[in-house]
């Protein structure tokens, strides 16, 4: 008796739909990815086993390193309004281009009397510029004023209290961090976050 041969079906699969999905996912990740902000100074944060994610809005970070303090405000509109308020306080008028430049910067540590010159620098010269840090002395009170004016701007624009966090070096910055905490407490800010690195589990 002759055997019946079953016709084999083609195993070719149309990959078009899968390629479309892959490219859509790739496009999504590229458009939504945030580049890692370059720190103005190297900061070795202390280790911790606690993982609490910082909010992405209504927060400002005080970066402390090499005895200097830098201030990073989240939100372009809040940054611009805080800059305008600081300009009014110190008698400085910023152009629209300078405000736009400041709104795109990360942590900044430039005294107010050098801010206009810093914002007018070309990109390569601004990157090479060694920021001296925001003055924390009681004479000019610049750090105190930056914190206060940015908190006022955040409430005015977002109707929310601004949270504050400190990112400091674990080994050598205690006097500077204490000075920062004293400035926060003068504004009755007794609740703030300390940014740490996740402690790795010991190898067995």
């Amino acid at each position: 008796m002759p055997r019946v041969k079953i016709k084999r079906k083609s195993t070719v699969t149309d990959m078009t739909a899968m390629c479309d999905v892959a490219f859509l996912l790739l496009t999504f990740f590229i458009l939504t990815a945030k580049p890692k902000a370059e720190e103005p100074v190297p900061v070795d944060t202390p280790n911790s086993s606690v993982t609490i994610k910082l909010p992405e809005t209504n927060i400002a970070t005080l970066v402390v390193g090499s005895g200097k303090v830098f201030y990073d405000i989240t939100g372009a509109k809040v940054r611009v309004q805080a800059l305008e308020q600081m300009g009014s306080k110190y008698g400085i008028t910023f152009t629209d281009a300078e405000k736009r430049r400041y709104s795109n910067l990360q942590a900044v540590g430039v005294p107010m009397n050098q801010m206009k010159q810093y914002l007018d620098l070309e990109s390569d010269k601004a990157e090479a510029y060694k920021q001296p840090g925001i003055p924390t002395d009681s004479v000019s009170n610049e750090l105190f004023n930056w914190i206060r004016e940015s908190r006022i701007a955040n409430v005015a624009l977002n109707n929310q209290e601004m949270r504050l966090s400190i990112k400091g070096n674990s080994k050598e910055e205690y006097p500077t961090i204490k000075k920062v905490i004293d400035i926060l407490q003068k504004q009755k800010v007794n609740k703030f976050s300390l940014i740490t690195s996740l402690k790795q589990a010991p190898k067995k």
Side-chain angles (χ1 to χ4, degrees), residues 12-172:
V12 177
T13 306
D14 186 2
M15 301 290 287
T16 306
M18 191 175 292
C19 289
D20 288 345
V21 171
F23 278 110
L24 282 173
L25 286 172
L26 183 62
T27 306
F28 171 78
F29 288 127
I30 290 173
L31 293 178
T32 57
K34 290 183 179 179
K36 185 181 179 183
E38 192 170 338
E39 298 287 358
V41 290
V43 177
D44 180 19
T45 53
N47 292 328
S48 170
S49 58
V50 179
T51 56
I52 300 175
K53 190 176 179 182
L54 286 172
E56 295 185 354
T57 57
N58 304 310
I59 188 168
T61 303
L62 294 140
V63 180
V64 183
S66 302
K68 303 174 186 176
V69 182
F70 305 81
Y71 194 46
D72 187 9
I73 306 168
T74 302
K77 290 182 180 177
V78 179
R79 293 176 69 86
V80 170
Q81 184 153 331
L83 180 68
E84 289 174 345
Q85 292 171 197
M86 285 294 287
S88 299
K89 189 173 285 295
Y90 288 88
I92 303 170
T93 303
F94 294 99
T95 64
D96 289 341
E98 290 166 345
K99 293 174 190 175
R100 192 162 50 249
R101 177 80 187 279
Y102 183 77
S103 70
N104 293 321
L105 295 174
Q106 302 294 325
V108 177
V110 179
M112 285 302 293
N113 60 4
Q114 301 175 25
M115 185 63 80
K116 272 185 79 70
Q117 293 87 340
Y118 174 69
L119 295 176
D120 290 336
L121 289 174
E122 295 176 2
S123 299
D124 54 340
K125 292 181 179 176
E127 288 179 9
Y129 178 73
K130 299 292 183 187
Q131 299 183 43
I134 298 174
T136 57
D137 58 277
S138 57
V139 178
S140 63
N141 266 343
E142 284 196 22
L143 182 61
F144 180 93
N145 288 327
W146 268 115
I147 295 170
R148 185 176 62 183
E149 298 304 326
S150 60
R151 293 176 67 205
I152 293 171
N154 196 68
V155 171
L157 291 171
N158 299 331
N159 197 28
Q160 286 194 34
E161 285 292 333
M162 174 177 275
R163 294 184 60 177
L164 290 154
S165 59
I166 299 174
K167 185 176 185 180
N169 198 306
S170 61
K171 297 176 182 174
E172 56 184 79

